[in-house]
Amino acid sequence: MQWLIYIFLIPMVVLIGGGIIGLYAKGVDRKFAAYYQSRIGPPLRQPFYDIGKLMQKQTIIPENAVGWIFSGAPFVALASSVILLVYILVPYFAWIGDFNFFFSKSGDIILILYLLMIPSIALVAGGFASGSPYATLGAQREMVILMSTELPLAVTAVTFAWRLSHVAPGASHFSLVTMSFHPLWSGMGPFGILGGMLLALSIAVVIPAELAKIPFDQAEAETEIAEGLLAEYSGKYLAFYQIADGVKSLAVISLAVILFFPNGFVQMTGYRIAPAGYDITLLLDVVIFMVKVFLVYFVSVTTVRIAMARLKISQVAKLFLVTITVMCLAGYVLITLDPVIRTL
Amino acid sequence: MRIRKMKKSFKRSLWAFHINTGSCNACDIEILATLMPRYDAERFGIKLVGTPRHADVLLVTGPVTEKIRDKVIRVYEQVPDPKLVIVIGGCGSTTGVYQESYAVTGPVDNCIPVDVFIPGCPPRPEAILYGVARAWEKLEKIMKEGSKNAS
């Protein structure tokens, strides 16, 4: 019966914790963006104020919208983001903290790639269902972005799995925990390191596209197509989308951190911290992980979104389907060649 | 308690939708100047949004021309309650230099209820921020009345 409790309890904890941290991350993002533009910027709690306000406002369902899809999509987006976060974070921290329970064997990267699509698909369904031409246009753009980012992500997943099959035969190669257990950079020659850097760079470009941030916010372009997908959403549903966005950004960036910088305190130093018999290493690991997440968020989302303008949708498709995919494939080839070259 | 919380959230987060009803663009530039580093309205959670569905505040500039009158009313109806209308500039407040023009049906309060007028041609960013502060006061008043009616 214990696993039943886990199944209900853990998503609840992740929903609340992930929601709070995700929204704070959004606040930090806005603050840093303001610093970049030499403004003071809103307080860190600004996203919470926004949610609080949206919750109090009238929620309008347009007359020519398909009601049940329109009102169901925000909940699907939120629920799938939370499940995504559960599958990414819980096995990782179970591994870091040396727990062994229900979730510690789950977290398959193929499953995560598909879960990653569901919030976007919910957005697309909501956009098509809202019966506004702007939302339809935004939904079409979101579909294009969704399809073009699939390929680099899939190549990255395959690369990691291939490497694991080489480094750790016998382990489950598609499991995120195995990937954290054998970090990409350990035991690699210069070719492998170069390939890993190419993969990391392409994932850094994929992150803003997954989170619909400038330069890849074509689907929600506020000045161009009146917020696109979200054009008809108001009140509570918009608030749910905001929370889902926070949770999803935390999930996507955690995925990048787990893939590329998985080391916890014990792996970095080889010590455990236990003053007066209490093992606080896990707490320290959570802090280290959060620092990494905020750093990656700052570098690959905030900086990029301040420094760049919005691309055209055709440019986005071309960028991901050609440039980034080729980069990923080059990384794949380099990582594949690495053990061959070293044995020569 | 709920009302107090509500007021706080509203005070810290006003999303504005800007609609130009035939102004000469000077007021629009002043609105942008309010958001720029010198005055930085985002400190107070004020930001421009792209669709009336997300808005709390409608910023209307310009005398209302014949052609845009219906659209202004339609945009006003699209904004979810509770909502405020702030008119920026002399044209919107009194039709200004366009008085008795055959193309103008304004001022704005001929077609939609207005909460705050900010006169000036164009008004300075300080004036716009002051107008927003007055709008907050008005919002508080509306909410107090609402709570009284509810009880």
Side-chain angles (χ1 to χ4, degrees), chain B residues 8 18 21 31 55 59 62-63 67 75 79 84 102 110 123 138:
Chain B
K8 192 165 185 205
H18 169 213
T21 63
I31 291 173
L59 300 176
K67 287 273 182 191
V75 166
V79 179
L84 291 167
Y102 61 88
N110 277 0
K138 181 131 186 185

Side-chain angles (χ1 to χ4, degrees), chain A residues 261-279:
Chain A
F261 314 106
N263 281 348
F265 188 75
V266 178
Q267 285 79 27
M268 283 196 248
T269 59
Y271 294 108
R272 300 191 79 86
I273 304 239
Y278 291 105
D279 199 343

Side-chain angles (χ1 to χ4, degrees), chain A residues 100-116:
Chain A
N100 194 5
F101 68 108
F102 180 67
F103 271 103
S104 44
K105 291 286 182 294
S106 46
D108 186 300
I109 194 162
I110 303 283
L111 173 72
I112 284 166
L113 288 193
Y114 279 103
L115 276 177
L116 205 55

Side-chain angles (χ1 to χ4, degrees), chain A residues 240-255:
Chain A
F240 276 112
Y241 268 135
Q242 301 258 328
I243 302 172
D245 182 48
V247 174
K248 193 189 171 188
S249 49
L250 188 63
V252 171
I253 291 172
S254 307
L255 179 65

Side-chain angles (χ1 to χ4, degrees), chain A residues 118-129:
Chain A
I118 294 181
S120 309
I121 289 176
L123 266 170
V124 168
F128 277 130

Side-chain angles (χ1 to χ4, degrees), chain B:
Chain B
M1 180 60 202
R2 197 179 149 88
I3 297 291
R4 237 173 75 202
K5 246 184 175 170
M6 182 170 174
K7 266 194 298 197
K8 192 165 185 205
S9 288
F10 261 95
K11 267 191 140 173
R12 300 311 299 263
S13 149
L14 276 185
W15 290 0
F17 180 75
H18 169 213
I19 177 167
N20 179 332
T21 63
S23 87
C24 66
N25 218 9
C27 299
D28 310 347
I29 289 173
E30 286 316 302
I31 291 173
L32 290 183
T34 316
L35 296 167
M36 287 295 117
R38 186 156 186 126
Y39 296 99
D40 191 19
E42 209 192 349
R43 285 180 291 167
F44 312 117
I46 299 167
K47 73 170 186 181
L48 281 182
V49 291
T51 158
R53 292 274 192 231
H54 298 186
D56 311 305
V57 181
L58 213 54
L59 300 176
V60 189
T61 57
V64 185
T65 59
E66 285 281 359
K67 287 273 182 191
I68 209 161
R69 185 167 191 275
D70 298 342
K71 279 93 174 174
V72 173
I73 294 169
R74 200 172 152 193
V75 166
Y76 176 76
E77 282 166 355
Q78 280 180 345
V79 179
D81 285 326
K83 56 191 164 190
L84 291 167
V85 178
I86 299 179
V87 169
I88 290 175
C91 299
S93 312
T94 63
T95 61
V97 293
Y98 300 105
Q99 266 174 36
E100 293 171 25
S101 161
Y102 61 88
V104 166
T105 61
V108 178
D109 58 349
N110 277 0
C111 52
I112 54 175
V114 176
D115 295 297
V116 178
F117 292 97
I118 305 175
C121 187
R124 289 187 59 83
E126 291 99 323
I128 295 177
L129 283 176
Y130 179 64
V132 172
R134 296 305 295 266
W136 275 330
E137 283 171 21
K138 181 131 186 185
L139 200 68
E140 271 173 33
K141 222 163 90 187
I142 292 172
M143 279 169 182
K144 255 182 213 160
E145 278 165 15
S147 65
K148 253 183 224 161
N149 292 347
S151 63

